[in-house]
Amino acid sequence: MWARWWAHLALIDVLMLTGIAAGAVWLACTHLTAMHPPAALLVSALAAVATLSVLAQRRQP
């Protein structure tokens, strides 16, 4: 049962986790790798889209 915790997330939880993932990628790109901000923004947006698609697919209304 614990392995399927993402199946019972509300929409706000999915959006919040998407933002957290994008923020974590942004921080990693800008502070750990010294990537240029436009490139870090692009990678963060891709991470947000990937997280949203994975969590939204598995979410049960």
Side-chain angles (χ1 to χ4, degrees):
M1 182 163 174
W2 175 250
R4 298 187 188 268
W5 60 269
W6 64 82
H8 302 291
L9 294 176
L11 180 60
I12 190 67
D13 296 329
V14 171
L15 295 176
M16 187 171 54
L17 287 172
T18 300
I20 290 170
V25 170
W26 170 265
L27 286 175
C29 287
T30 56
H31 294 292
L32 298 178
T33 64
M35 190 181 283
H36 292 292
L41 181 64
L42 178 65
V43 173
S44 297
L46 290 174
V49 169
T51 304
L52 181 65
S53 68
V54 166
L55 289 176
Q57 274 181 343
R58 291 179 167 80
R59 187 171 145 324
Q60 296 173 355

